[in-house]
Amino acid sequence: MTHAYSCEETPVSGSPTDGPLRLAVIIGSVREGRLGPTIADWFADRARRRPEFDVDLIDLAEVALGAAAPSPSPPPEIAEALGRLTPRLDAADAFVVVTPEYNHSYPAALKNAIDWHNPQFHAKPVAFVSYGGLAGGLRAVEHLRLVFAELHAVTTRDTVSFHNAWDLFDDNGRLKDPDGPGAAATTLLDQLTWWANALRHAKSKRPYDI
């Protein structure tokens, strides 16, 4: 199986313009004790309440890419992992990346997963749900915007950010005060819907091969 990792690869063709938008929610942290799955589950639940989305929750901890550098001939264990991950990214019409902030940036595992791919993100919208301390993961988001611009993706203006995130959820993984994050999630999903529909329609008229 050939996996796209450079801009010379053939871009993915446009998706059909009917049917629900396929939304991939990517959990970017793979650390033990991470808060990412709790936040991603919360967000995915919000997205699933909207009929326009078919949500696929992708946990990078379940895809063993390790630290292997992108290559046109990956070793068998990496090829097997990519065989499970790449088709899900291919199928997505839009993405939401759930990321913490590590040392003013985003996790290495997330960058590696992105670097193994390229046309899977072409002419598709990407939004961000971030979490951390006082900065709420927003510095990680600003770095990721530059990365996804290089991959021909469109990032939404608005984000959902959790500041001092570990204090915001109870022992059952529920938000103690859901109103503010819920409103932010609605705005983000509204913007993502607009961009995903616009780009899907545009690619149905002219495949993105620029």
Side-chain angles (χ1 to χ4, degrees), residues 13-35:
S13 60
S15 302
T17 56
D18 56 354
L21 296 164
R22 293 162 295 193
L23 173 61
V25 178
I26 301 172
I27 304 173
S29 173
V30 302
R31 283 185 179 180
E32 184 177 353
R34 63 207 168 121
L35 188 60

Side-chain angles (χ1 to χ4, degrees), residues 15-141:
S15 302
T17 56
D18 56 354
L21 296 164
R22 293 162 295 193
L23 173 61
V25 178
I26 301 172
I27 304 173
S29 173
V30 302
R31 283 185 179 180
E32 184 177 353
R34 63 207 168 121
L35 188 60
T38 297
I39 294 175
D41 285 342
W42 168 83
F43 183 83
D45 178 68
R46 300 280 311 189
R48 289 187 181 110
R49 298 178 193 178
R50 299 175 59 132
E52 68 264 38
F53 289 119
D54 179 8
V55 179
D56 181 17
L57 185 57
I58 299 174
D59 188 349
L60 294 184
E62 298 174 357
V63 184
L65 292 178
S71 164
S73 300
E77 65 276 12
I78 301 300
E80 190 276 333
L82 290 169
R84 290 183 284 117
L85 175 61
T86 303
R88 296 168 75 180
L89 301 181
D90 266 330
D93 295 301
F95 302 91
V96 171
V97 177
V98 180
T99 182
E101 183 177 316
Y102 294 165
N103 298 321
H104 281 228
S105 195
Y106 51 88
L110 176 57
K111 182 62 160 65
N112 198 35
I114 293 169
D115 285 350
W116 275 102
H117 300 90
N118 190 310
Q120 286 74 23
F121 297 106
H122 282 194
K124 296 179 182 180
V126 182
F128 304 100
V129 176
S130 66
Y131 60 98
L134 290 174
L138 291 174
R139 291 173 292 205
V141 169

Side-chain angles (χ1 to χ4, degrees), residues 38 166-176:
T38 297
W166 296 266
D167 298 329
L168 304 180
F169 292 83
D170 64 20
D171 293 339
N172 295 314
R174 292 190 294 261
L175 271 171
K176 298 175 184 177

